[in-house]
Amino acid sequence: MSEPENKVTRRGVLAGAAAGGAALAAGAAKAEGDPLITEVQPWAQGLGEGVDATPYGLPIEYESDVIRRNVEWLTADTISSINFTPIHALDGTITPQGCAFERHHSGAIELKKEDYRLMINGLVDRPLVFTYADLERFPRENHVYFCECAANTGMEWAGAQLNGAQFTHGMIHNMEYSGVSLRTLLNEAGLGAAGDLADKWVFVEGADASSNGRSIPMEKALDDVLVAFKANGEALRMEHGYPVRLVVPGWEGNMWVKWLRRIEVTDAPVESREETSKYTDVLADGTARKWTWVMDAKSVITSPSPQMPIPHGPGPMVITGMAWSGHGRITRVDVSKDGGKTWETARLGTQGDSKALTRFYLDIEWDGSEMFLQSRAMDETGYVQPTKTQLREVRGLNSIYHNNCIQTWWVKENGEAENVEVS
Amino acid sequence: MSEPENKVTRRGVLAGAAAGGAALAAGAAKAEGDPLITEVQPWAQGLGEGVDATPYGLPIEYESDVIRRNVEWLTADTISSINFTPIHALDGTITPQGCAFERHHSGAIELKKEDYRLMINGLVDRPLVFTYADLERFPRENHVYFCECAANTGMEWAGAQLNGAQFTHGMIHNMEYSGVSLRTLLNEAGLGAAGDLADKWVFVEGADASSNGRSIPMEKALDDVLVAFKANGEALRMEHGYPVRLVVPGWEGNMWVKWLRRIEVTDAPVESREETSKYTDVLADGTARKWTWVMDAKSVITSPSPQMPIPHGPGPMVITGMAWSGHGRITRVDVSKDGGKTWETARLGTQGDSKALTRFYLDIEWDGSEMFLQSRAMDETGYVQPTKTQLREVRGLNSIYHNNCIQTWWVKENGEAENVEVS
């Protein structure tokens, strides 16, 4: 605990406003009041807007900065671009589809439900082709899961580079999916022909030009993988794989194949481009880790952060962020204000589901001095999120993927924040 | 149980597609195949769309019918209109803000955060005026809650009138809210001046011209009421009360005051227009029930339904719908295919939170004969959703509000469905 000695209470901070309010309540000293509460405002003097004109609504104009953003130099061209979720400006756990990060390898395609087909072939008793309407006839499930790109935080391997939580950690979203268990569809095709399932795989492909093929071990395919049609209640957006994508809970986002077209049961991994030259982790000695599917426990403070400076002076304030683990539930998050020397356990704002985002809060009295804010997530396996130093010792500096290190924001006395490293 | 004798399996129904698929797998008889899976399609031959152009995304054009809809004759003018959630087309439990039903009494107003003020006055130790930035400094909570208009299903008192779940039951949405407990803000103002809290009330008002004032007993105000800024992670949309609305879990939507402006602690209810001439329930003898705040347990089948006919012949299919209770958790939902003579217990697709939507499914083999589909919700208090006949016996036919009766869809042999009553 490193609580400031000079405590300022929440009540104290509101004294200015309260003085006006108290005077108003006594019916006196109107001039001391705030006209925004004492005078009838234009929006209370007439009719507002009807909503019939917006049968599908968008955010109000004043929130026009809460959007997906790209970092132009990160990808070679706009077609293979990454759009980052504005996590700095969000709260709770659900990510709206409209601002949920999006990565594709050959552009988002427009595929009508009527034109949609899903083939299951390979080592199955009976190859099948499903239409979209066929899929809707199988028992459905609903689950909230996070989806994180393996390259999320990848630029931080080399140092503190991107000045904003949106850019360092925004390749993640968290949605409620509705769909059919992949297990159900594989059983429909029949796995008898595959023999011993322990060493079998499925190879999944999308309908886009990149096809983005990935191999998934049968054990995972029969566990919790979903063939999903809906996210947050409604159809998947085009950029999220309309009409059908794969949901591979806790595993890297590249495996969540969009515009899902084909599932082949195989006796070995395909070793596709996306799991050899890409999405493997080059170590210090030049060898590469592969089959690093699971996204380990990770967290980040979203506010305050470089895009969310503290807008006020010393006193009460809320530190908030999000934590997640591909291995299960988040059980605890600690927050440090001094770059990892001392830690306080944060409050979890509703316990997130397994393999879903958890929101955390630390309610503090800020003494106005600089802070080096960090958060450290723990999951139900006992795993503790590592420091950047610990991660580099094991993994070197050559990698792009699977950087789940502790992030530091240097919050200055003026409330502004900056991406830094602490030794 | 009333399972059809002539069972058609899921496997059987897919035989047509499978034949093609099987042939393809063997590399033979390509002409028998489906070109949509056997031939390279235009969307796989080049680059799709970049997403940089849509920093905040909307649904794909093919889903343009999944929108809020109005029923013109229901309200006197467009300014006081109701927009219904397209619940027939949704799955899971979360409602996207963009298509979440919206009701206002004098139009949706545009209110900047900088212009926002919230006053707490009346029987408090110290009247306070909060800015938006002030509110963000208090400890926050996250909860998923349903919000249902008291008039939802109101047209059904007189008979089966509106032909679609969107119109009979669409005045409901279910979102994850982030905000400050009202209890926290009341304690900040200090409730010592109010004396014994058991008989005290708060009167809540909005900043719009209607002000939509409602009285809430102190016990509820100190229980689970939220002063919310965000829904499903992002800022409230204009039509949902940007920047701040009240969330009154389990209670009628009219009390969830939008553009929240003032909270007065009082020693009696105000008996405002919105709780006397409106939002009271006129009984058969002309007297009115009042303070009927809680939304009792209720459910509706969303598919199949009049807007969602069965698109195929006999065989496997999914019946789905949603259930909710203002008293707590949904513990069970039963489904009848014969107008309430026999019932089967539905599968709950993830247990919803207390005072939040629960999704249910019944996976059946449809024999192709007509069905009279009903659903019946039960909550943790042991309450069972009543039939329309039971409700009319107690409440008569004069009311608009609080109709939580069992709904019947007549599904015909051709798969089309119609809103009907069964005796």
Side-chain angles (χ1 to χ4, degrees):
Chain A
M1 293 286 290
S2 59
E3 280 289 316
E5 284 178 20
N6 180 20
K7 275 215 173 189
V8 183
T9 67
R10 280 183 170 70
R11 184 158 298 184
V13 120
L14 292 164
L24 290 170
K30 196 167 188 178
E32 289 177 27
D34 179 345
L36 281 163
I37 190 75
T38 59
E39 306 295 333
V40 177
Q41 298 297 317
W43 48 84
Q45 292 181 31
L47 295 176
E49 295 180 35
V51 181
D52 290 358
T54 56
Y56 198 100
L58 276 169
I60 196 167
E61 59 191 305
Y62 311 131
E63 297 291 311
S64 59
D65 57 331
V66 183
I67 51 174
R68 296 189 280 233
R69 288 182 197 280
N70 191 12
V71 175
E72 289 194 11
W73 57 267
L74 263 186
T75 44
D77 53 67
T78 56
I79 278 300
S80 71
S81 72
I82 302 160
N83 273 271
F84 297 88
T85 307
I87 56 171
H88 61 291
L90 304 183
D91 206 327
T93 64
I94 292 291
T95 316
Q97 280 206 73
C99 64
F101 98 96
E102 200 280 325
R103 165 73 167 141
H104 49 75
H105 291 236
S106 57
I109 62 170
E110 291 195 9
L111 180 50
K112 290 180 189 170
K113 284 179 180 171
E114 305 88 281
D115 292 338
Y116 179 78
R117 296 292 185 277
L118 171 61
M119 173 184 278
I120 298 186
N121 67 347
L123 301 174
V124 294
D125 301 333
R126 219 168 55 121
L128 292 172
V129 177
F130 301 93
T131 63
Y132 183 85
D134 289 337
L135 293 178
E136 286 197 309
R137 300 177 74 170
F138 288 90
R140 297 203 278 278
E141 300 180 10
N142 299 299
H143 299 279
V144 176
Y145 292 122
F146 78 82
C147 173
E148 184 184 16
C149 179
N152 200 23
T153 322
M155 291 304 105
E156 300 298 299
W157 281 110
Q161 290 204 66
L162 295 168
N163 216 28
Q166 178 169 18
F167 307 114
T168 56
H169 289 76
M171 284 197 273
I172 188 164
H173 54 62
N174 192 64
M175 304 203 260
E176 182 195 42
Y177 294 96
S178 305
V180 176
S181 164
L182 176 55
R183 184 191 329 109
T184 299
L185 299 181
L186 289 172
N187 285 334
E188 187 74 19
L191 290 171
D196 182 4
L197 297 178
D199 61 352
K200 297 303 181 298
W201 298 66
V202 298
F203 183 69
V204 291
E205 278 183 338
D208 61 321
S210 83
S211 86
N212 191 38
R214 290 296 304 257
S215 305
I216 301 174
M218 184 61 79
E219 183 183 4
K220 179 71 174 177
L222 294 177
D223 180 14
D224 56 6
V225 177
L226 283 182
V227 175
F229 339 122
K230 296 203 170 164
N232 297 342
E234 67 181 357
L236 291 161
R237 300 285 172 89
M238 174 181 74
E239 62 270 28
H240 295 301
Y242 183 90
V244 177
R245 86 175 301 170
L246 206 63
V247 168
V248 190
W251 288 25
E252 59 188 24
N254 178 252
M255 307 177 82
W256 296 45
V257 171
K258 300 194 275 196
W259 316 291
L260 182 67
R261 179 183 179 275
R262 193 170 72 94
I263 298 166
E264 181 181 349
V265 176
T266 63
D267 57 10
V270 165
E271 306 271 4
S272 72
R273 187 191 88 128
E274 304 293 338
E275 53 205 21
T276 51
S277 77
K278 306 291 178 192
Y279 300 97
T280 49
D281 312 321
V282 182
L283 301 175
D285 66 0
T287 62
R289 300 198 311 162
K290 72 172 183 176
W291 310 143
T292 50
W293 303 301
V294 181
M295 302 309 294
D296 286 321
K298 188 168 169 180
S299 67
V300 65
I301 289 171
T302 51
S303 178
S305 66
Q307 296 161 289
M308 293 292 279
I310 304 174
H312 51 72
M317 61 170 287
V318 176
I319 296 171
T320 188
M322 52 200 217
W324 61 97
S325 168
H327 288 282
R329 284 177 207 281
I330 290 294
T331 50
R332 180 172 141 188
V333 180
D334 291 339
V335 170
S336 177
K337 292 181 291 195
D338 54 14
K341 290 181 202 139
T342 61
W343 296 91
E344 297 172 67
T345 299
R347 177 169 61 85
L348 303 186
T350 72
Q351 172 67 60
D353 292 335
S354 180
K355 303 171 191 174
L357 283 194
T358 291
R359 169 67 49 180
F360 66 85
Y361 297 104
L362 188 71
D363 307 305
I364 67 161
E365 300 284 337
W366 183 41
D367 65 2
S369 61
E370 67 176 6
M371 298 185 281
F372 290 87
L373 288 181
Q374 297 185 338
S375 64
R376 178 174 74 181
M378 282 156 252
D379 70 21
E380 61 182 316
T381 69
Y383 178 93
V384 180
Q385 184 182 357
T387 64
K388 205 179 268 194
T389 305
Q390 289 170 328
L391 207 59
R392 283 176 179 150
E393 281 170 7
V394 179
R395 306 264 299 281
L397 287 172
N398 293 332
S399 194
I400 300 168
Y401 308 109
H402 292 279
N403 185 336
N404 68 322
C405 71
I406 290 171
Q407 173 68 40
T408 311
W409 304 127
W410 172 31
V411 179
K412 303 170 196 176
E413 291 180 355
N414 66 4
E416 289 176 3
E418 202 175 297
N419 183 2
V420 297
E421 291 194 18
V422 290
S423 59
Chain B
M1 293 289 292
S2 61
E3 280 290 314
E5 285 178 18
N6 181 19
K7 276 215 174 193
V8 183
T9 67
R10 279 180 172 72
R11 183 159 296 188
V13 120
L14 293 163
L24 290 171
K30 196 168 187 179
E32 287 177 27
D34 177 346
L36 282 163
I37 190 75
T38 59
E39 305 296 334
V40 177
Q41 297 298 316
W43 47 84
Q45 292 181 33
L47 295 175
E49 296 180 32
V51 180
D52 289 357
T54 56
Y56 199 101
L58 276 169
I60 196 167
E61 60 193 303
Y62 311 130
E63 297 290 311
S64 59
D65 58 331
V66 183
I67 50 173
R68 295 190 281 233
R69 288 182 196 281
N70 190 12
V71 176
E72 290 195 10
W73 56 266
L74 263 187
T75 43
D77 52 67
T78 55
I79 280 298
S80 70
S81 73
I82 301 161
N83 273 272
F84 297 89
T85 307
I87 56 171
H88 62 290
L90 304 183
D91 206 327
T93 64
I94 292 291
T95 316
Q97 280 207 72
C99 65
F101 98 96
E102 199 280 325
R103 165 73 165 141
H104 50 74
H105 291 236
S106 56
I109 62 170
E110 290 195 10
L111 179 52
K112 289 181 189 168
K113 284 179 180 171
E114 304 89 280
D115 292 337
Y116 179 78
R117 295 294 183 275
L118 171 61
M119 172 185 279
I120 299 187
N121 66 347
L123 302 174
V124 293
D125 301 333
R126 216 169 58 122
L128 292 171
V129 177
F130 302 92
T131 63
Y132 182 85
D134 289 336
L135 292 178
E136 286 198 309
R137 301 177 74 169
F138 288 90
R140 297 203 279 278
E141 300 180 8
N142 300 299
H143 300 279
V144 176
Y145 292 121
F146 77 82
C147 173
E148 184 184 17
C149 179
N152 201 20
T153 322
M155 293 302 105
E156 299 299 297
W157 281 109
Q161 289 203 68
L162 295 168
N163 216 31
Q166 179 169 19
F167 307 114
T168 57
H169 290 75
M171 283 197 273
I172 189 165
H173 54 62
N174 192 63
M175 304 203 262
E176 182 194 42
Y177 294 96
S178 304
V180 176
S181 164
L182 176 55
R183 184 191 331 108
T184 299
L185 299 181
L186 289 172
N187 286 333
E188 187 72 18
L191 290 171
D196 181 5
L197 296 177
D199 61 353
K200 297 303 181 299
W201 297 67
V202 298
F203 183 68
V204 291
E205 280 183 337
D208 60 320
S210 82
S211 88
N212 192 38
R214 289 295 305 258
S215 306
I216 300 174
M218 184 62 78
E219 183 183 2
K220 179 70 172 177
L222 294 177
D223 180 14
D224 55 5
V225 177
L226 283 182
V227 174
F229 341 120
K230 297 206 169 162
N232 297 341
E234 67 181 356
L236 291 162
R237 301 287 171 88
M238 175 180 74
E239 63 270 27
H240 295 300
Y242 182 90
V244 178
R245 87 174 301 170
L246 206 64
V247 167
V248 190
W251 289 25
E252 58 189 25
N254 177 252
M255 307 178 82
W256 296 45
V257 171
K258 299 195 276 198
W259 315 291
L260 182 67
R261 180 183 177 277
R262 194 171 71 94
I263 299 166
E264 182 182 350
V265 177
T266 63
D267 57 9
V270 165
E271 307 273 3
S272 74
R273 189 191 88 128
E274 303 295 337
E275 52 204 23
T276 51
S277 78
K278 306 292 176 192
Y279 299 98
T280 50
D281 312 320
V282 182
L283 300 176
D285 65 2
T287 62
R289 300 200 311 162
K290 72 170 181 176
W291 310 141
T292 50
W293 303 302
V294 182
M295 303 309 294
D296 286 321
K298 187 167 168 181
S299 67
V300 66
I301 290 171
T302 51
S303 178
S305 65
Q307 296 160 289
M308 293 292 278
I310 303 173
H312 52 71
M317 62 172 283
V318 176
I319 296 171
T320 188
M322 54 200 215
W324 61 95
S325 169
H327 288 283
R329 282 176 208 280
I330 290 294
T331 50
R332 180 173 142 188
V333 180
D334 292 339
V335 170
S336 176
K337 293 181 291 197
D338 54 16
K341 290 181 202 138
T342 62
W343 295 89
E344 297 172 67
T345 298
R347 178 170 60 86
L348 303 187
T350 71
Q351 172 68 60
D353 292 335
S354 179
K355 304 172 189 173
L357 284 193
T358 291
R359 170 67 48 181
F360 66 86
Y361 297 104
L362 189 72
D363 308 304
I364 68 162
E365 300 285 336
W366 182 41
D367 65 3
S369 61
E370 67 175 6
M371 297 185 280
F372 291 88
L373 288 182
Q374 297 185 336
S375 64
R376 178 174 74 181
M378 281 156 255
D379 70 22
E380 59 182 315
T381 70
Y383 178 93
V384 181
Q385 184 182 357
T387 64
K388 205 178 267 196
T389 304
Q390 289 170 327
L391 207 59
R392 284 178 179 149
E393 281 171 8
V394 178
R395 306 261 301 279
L397 288 173
N398 293 332
S399 194
I400 299 167
Y401 307 110
H402 292 279
N403 185 336
N404 69 322
C405 71
I406 290 171
Q407 173 69 39
T408 311
W409 304 127
W410 172 31
V411 179
K412 304 169 195 178
E413 292 180 355
N414 66 3
E416 291 176 3
E418 200 174 300
N419 183 1
V420 297
E421 292 194 19
V422 292
S423 58

